[in-house]
Amino acid sequence: MAIPSSESSSVLRLTLLAVMVITLFAALFARLWFLQVMAGDRYVELADSNRLRTVITEAPRGEILASDGQELVRNRPALTISADRQVLLDATGAPIDEEAERVIERLAVLLELDVEEGLDRLPRQRRRPSWSRSRSISV
């Protein structure tokens, strides 16, 4: 029994479409495998190096000069180290895991504090947003 030409062209089209879909999925999976397995270490390095951020903030005032043009006040850089107590410590105040313990010890060394004193300095709760502390001004 011979297949009519219109049915054979439909079967050919469906076969071609199926081959194209399978090829596209194979290419997609190959690329995902490459990104995860072959290039994964590179992206881990990029993510780790993305943790430090330098923010330069201009002073809210201008230069303060004497009448002869000599600078009276200078700006100085200030460094801020921040850590989230909820990420590092459990409810009892003990480090969550070994990595959290290493982070706490490293912070203590950087800040030249004892570990216990450093734990005491971590804020116990998150600060309220600054807008909630602003006072109302009636117009």
Side-chain angles (χ1 to χ4, degrees):
M1 182 182 217
I3 300 175
S5 66
S6 65
E7 280 188 34
S8 66
S9 67
S10 296
V11 170
L12 181 65
R13 287 181 189 166
L14 283 175
T15 305
L16 183 61
L17 181 64
V19 168
M20 285 177 37
V21 168
I22 290 171
T23 304
L24 288 174
F25 272 110
L28 177 67
F29 285 124
R31 182 65 180 161
L32 288 174
W33 177 84
F34 174 78
L35 288 174
Q36 289 290 321
V37 177
M38 301 301 289
D41 293 336
R42 177 175 175 258
Y43 290 110
V44 167
E45 269 184 46
L46 287 172
D48 285 340
S49 67
N50 196 20
R51 293 183 188 183
L52 184 63
R53 178 178 57 162
T54 302
V55 178
I56 299 173
T57 306
E58 294 294 325
R61 57 172 171 72
E63 294 179 343
I64 300 176
L65 304 175
S67 60
D68 60 355
Q70 185 179 10
E71 194 174 37
L72 294 176
V73 178
R74 292 185 179 196
N75 294 330
R76 63 176 174 81
L79 302 176
T80 303
I81 297 176
S82 55
D84 190 352
R85 183 181 192 91
Q86 295 173 345
V87 172
L88 296 175
L89 304 176
D90 61 12
T92 64
I96 292 177
D97 56 8
E98 289 181 20
E99 183 180 0
E101 191 171 347
R102 285 194 307 266
V103 168
I104 292 167
E105 289 171 359
R106 181 71 178 137
L107 284 173
V109 168
L110 287 173
L111 298 173
E112 299 174 350
L113 300 171
D114 294 332
V115 173
E116 293 301 319
E117 188 179 352
L119 288 175
D120 289 340
R121 286 193 174 193
L122 283 175
R124 299 216 181 277
Q125 59 186 352
R126 295 180 187 259
R127 294 183 187 167
R128 296 183 347 213
S130 59
W131 56 265
S132 67
R133 286 182 280 173
S134 63
R135 55 189 175 121
S136 300
I137 300 173
S138 55
V139 179

